[in-house]
Amino acid sequence: MNIFGGRPGVSAGVLAVIATLAAFFFVKAVAFALLAGAAVLLIMLVTLCACGYIKPYRLFASAFVMIIFCTALLRGSVFFERKLPIADNFAGEDRYIHATVTERRGAADYFAVFVLRLHSIDGEEYEEKAILNCEYNSGFQVGYEIVLRGAAVTSLAAYPEDEVYDLLSEGIVLSIVSENENDSAVLSKNNFSFADKCRSLNLLCSAKLKNSIKGDGGKLAAAMLLGDKSAIPSYVYRDFSRSGLSHYLAVSGLHVSIITGVVSFILLNLRIKHSYRNLLLALFAFDYLRLLGFPISAVRAVVMLLAVFAAYTAGDVSDSLNSLGIAASVILAVSPSAVF
């Protein structure tokens, strides 16, 4: 009996997507019915293995798939049922927000947009991400621990549908509006988390790169190498879009493959053994991912790359679809909102 075929990674990835979407669109009863069905199937597979109808390695592969499915289902249920309704619970004016700025999205003379890591709303602790719209040009920077008095909390429903999914894919679950600069205060300027430090290092490297390569070339280099697209002019976006090359501006598999390929070539010329070379490449890929700030497209590429390295190290042939499925299952198990 060929349970899940020879590609358990593909099965795990597909079922992880199904489980996460089920947690979002279906009621809790349906999600738990799917969970119970997965448990029953796993028990049946153990029974079949004990009776000799399937081989042990098939059982292990099937157990891996079922565990990924259940993890994605449970993680998705927790996220979509407990974290998304936060905005509805606190909708309205005069909210007291305690948060840390993790990203500066944009600013003009009369507004500024930031991404926040929440600490509390009206004294109740929350560790979620929010988008902050200031109706003034605020001087907040990454790492600033701030408080907002009289802030308005709303859901993401006011945004266009495609933008809502983009925000959810980043784990941003609500929107905050601050109308008066006098109602905000900075508690600390150095409240950096690990992700904030990575972001700061990324911005520093990006600034040095743009200073070294002047003009639009430096801005494009910063976008393609470090994922910093903040300085790219609108006409460059337009030209890339018209030529069908917009995906080059987002760090993904193409960029990761080229960069790791260059490093691999250097290590090959240094005559480093195959197994050690793969280990060094894996460490480099993870450090590069950390520098980028763990964007989904780059995470997918690096997980697939690690799966390829693992196959080569084990003397097996890599399978791109299997690697893609493993990447999808890992990403959704960690961050269910990435399904969007």
Side-chain angles (χ1 to χ4, degrees):
M1 182 177 290
N2 193 4
I3 301 295
F4 294 120
R7 290 173 166 174
V10 176
S11 303
V14 171
L15 287 177
V17 172
I18 293 173
T20 308
L21 291 175
F24 178 70
F25 287 107
F26 298 153
V27 296
K28 185 186 297 186
V30 176
F32 277 102
L34 291 173
L35 188 63
V40 170
L41 178 59
L42 187 57
I43 293 173
M44 290 176 58
L45 292 173
V46 172
T47 304
L48 290 172
C49 181
C51 295
Y53 289 102
I54 60 175
K55 296 180 179 179
Y57 81 91
R58 290 288 181 192
L59 175 62
F60 293 140
S62 302
F64 164 74
V65 173
M66 288 295 100
I67 290 171
I68 289 294
F69 175 78
C70 295
T71 302
L73 189 61
L74 291 173
R75 291 275 298 167
S77 297
V78 170
F79 180 83
F80 295 123
E81 292 183 16
R82 296 183 184 177
K83 298 184 178 182
L84 282 187
I86 289 176
D88 298 328
N89 297 338
F90 289 98
E93 304 285 345
D94 301 328
R95 299 299 179 187
Y96 185 89
I97 309 294
H98 178 206
T100 295
V101 177
T102 61
E103 184 181 345
R104 186 181 177 94
R105 282 284 172 95
D109 293 337
Y110 302 107
F111 76 93
V113 182
F114 305 91
V115 176
L116 303 180
R117 183 177 69 253
L118 295 174
H119 301 308
S120 67
I121 303 176
D122 288 348
E124 295 189 34
E125 293 185 1
Y126 287 99
E127 291 292 335
E128 311 305 331
K129 294 173 69 175
I131 192 87
L132 170 63
N133 296 280
C134 296
E135 297 185 354
Y136 48 87
N137 190 353
S138 172
F140 295 152
Q141 299 295 331
V142 175
Y144 278 24
E145 184 180 0
I146 63 172
V147 292
L148 301 169
R149 296 176 292 273
V153 177
T154 61
S155 68
L156 300 178
Y159 289 84
E161 185 176 1
D162 57 342
E163 192 171 348
V164 170
Y165 289 144
D166 286 340
L167 293 173
L168 284 175
S169 69
E170 300 178 57
I172 296 173
V173 298
L174 55 85
S175 173
I176 299 172
V177 178
S178 177
E179 298 181 352
N180 192 337
E181 188 172 7
N182 296 326
D183 290 334
S184 63
V186 178
L187 301 180
S188 169
K189 295 185 178 181
N190 296 296
N191 188 22
F192 292 102
S193 67
F194 175 75
D196 296 336
K197 291 178 180 178
C198 293
R199 177 67 180 169
S200 297
L201 179 61
N202 179 283
L203 294 175
L204 177 63
C205 294
S206 177
K208 290 185 177 296
L209 186 59
K210 285 182 281 192
N211 288 333
S212 301
I213 307 175
K214 304 297 182 181
D216 290 343
K219 298 171 184 176
L220 283 173
M224 293 181 175
L225 288 174
L226 299 170
D228 180 13
K229 298 181 282 186
S230 60
I232 296 181
S234 58
Y235 66 84
V236 174
Y237 273 116
R238 179 201 63 202
D239 293 343
F240 269 75
S241 178
R242 288 178 177 177
S243 59
L245 300 175
S246 298
H247 57 284
Y248 285 160
L249 298 178
V251 179
S252 58
L254 173 67
H255 308 73
V256 172
S257 297
I258 292 174
I259 293 172
T260 53
V262 171
V263 176
S264 178
F265 178 77
I266 294 172
L267 295 176
L268 184 63
N269 280 273
L270 292 175
R271 300 185 182 279
I272 295 177
K273 289 184 178 180
H274 180 75
S275 56
Y276 293 133
R277 186 166 72 248
N278 284 344
L279 177 61
L280 290 173
L281 281 172
L283 293 174
F284 170 79
F286 178 79
D287 282 338
Y288 180 54
L289 188 60
R290 182 178 62 177
L291 178 62
L292 293 173
F294 298 94
I296 294 298
S297 58
V299 172
R300 179 193 66 227
V302 169
V303 173
M304 292 181 67
L305 190 67
L306 294 178
V308 171
F309 289 161
Y312 286 161
T313 302
D316 201 353
V317 179
S318 65
D319 186 323
S320 58
L321 285 178
N322 230 15
S323 301
L324 179 61
I326 292 171
S329 59
V330 169
I331 290 171
L332 291 177
V334 174
S335 178
S337 61
V339 72
F340 296 112

